[in-house]
Amino acid sequence: MEKTENDIDSRLAVRLRALRADRGLTLDGLAERSGVSRSMISLVERGQSSPTASVLERLAAGLGVTLATLFAEAERADADPVVRRADQIAWTDPATGYRRRNLSPPGYPSPIELVEVELPPGARVSYDSGARAAIVEQQIHLLDGTIELSVGEVTHRLSTGDCLAMRLDRPTGFHNPTNRTARYIVALTTEGRGGSNAVKR
């Protein structure tokens, strides 16, 4: 049975607290680094807020990780290399209806991370953070529909079957300009992935 949004908010609260503690950051310290208010971070850590994708991305950047890390489990040697569809973490942005699903087996030490995304008609999702401590390479493969993907000041229009390679080192934006849902796969690799300080989006 797929996890509910309340379950995911609770997991996110625990994960965010753990990542902040691992880095020795106070609430004020993370607020300063991420640009997210101390009160909002506190609400998220108590499971009392359903943050937007934009807020989560700023928190991830402030922690020096990528977005999938906030939904992922810590890597472990005994992790199962198979994850069933029903056990994959799926999360919906309350502001836009953007829905992301972590496809990769949780906790499994692999240099590759796969995420499936559904972007509703007309939706826009923007990430204004830039480079992180580790280099993150990403490819976007359109399964169905059309999106306009901006990387810095360059915008690419992608249609079904198209694939774009990019590095996460500048602000990015996703826009579905059509009246049908767009679906795409995001594949990522991170320099240093596989160790205890590896990161994922």
Side-chain angles (χ1 to χ4, degrees):
M1 182 176 180
E2 193 165 281
K3 295 174 177 62
T4 67
E5 298 301 329
N6 285 339
D7 292 335
I8 295 170
D9 285 344
S10 296
R11 287 174 58 100
L12 179 60
V14 171
R15 184 67 168 150
L16 182 58
R17 286 197 304 270
L19 289 168
R20 181 171 63 81
D22 285 347
R23 285 150 182 78
L25 288 172
T26 63
L27 286 171
D28 288 329
L30 180 54
E32 182 176 352
R33 289 176 59 168
S34 66
V36 177
S37 72
R38 183 187 190 282
S39 59
M40 172 58 77
I41 297 171
S42 179
L43 287 172
V44 175
E45 288 193 357
R46 297 200 306 270
Q48 296 177 352
S49 174
S50 296
T52 65
S54 179
V55 167
L56 289 180
E57 171 68 6
R58 294 204 302 273
L59 289 173
L63 290 164
V65 300
T66 48
L67 188 55
T69 304
L70 300 182
F71 299 96
E73 295 181 7
E75 291 182 5
R76 60 186 194 278
D78 64 347
D80 194 327
V82 176
V83 60
R84 305 300 176 185
R85 180 80 173 179
D87 296 322
Q88 295 165 352
I89 297 298
W91 174 82
T92 302
D93 178 9
T96 64
Y98 153 94
R99 185 169 177 81
R100 58 174 291 122
R101 175 185 292 272
N102 282 19
L103 300 179
S104 299
Y108 190 79
S110 169
I112 302 168
E113 183 76 12
L114 294 178
V115 178
E116 178 186 74
V117 176
E118 295 179 4
L119 192 63
R124 291 181 184 270
V125 178
S126 298
Y127 301 119
D128 56 12
S129 54
R132 289 168 172 75
I135 296 173
V136 182
E137 302 287 353
Q138 173 172 291
Q139 293 192 18
I140 310 288
H141 177 229
L142 260 291
L143 298 175
D144 188 38
T146 299
I147 62 170
E148 293 176 347
L149 202 172
S150 47
V151 183
E153 297 184 359
V154 178
T155 298
H156 305 271
R157 187 178 178 95
L158 304 179
S159 299
T160 302
D162 293 346
C163 185
L164 171 70
M166 57 188 284
R167 176 173 289 185
L168 295 183
D169 60 359
R170 67 202 70 185
T172 58
F174 296 78
H175 175 221
N176 181 351
T178 73
N179 59 4
R180 56 184 285 199
T181 297
R183 292 178 54 247
Y184 53 94
I185 296 292
V186 183
L188 304 104
T189 61
T190 305
E191 184 181 75
R193 173 93 167 91
S196 60
N197 295 320
V199 299
K200 303 175 283 187
R201 180 185 177 97

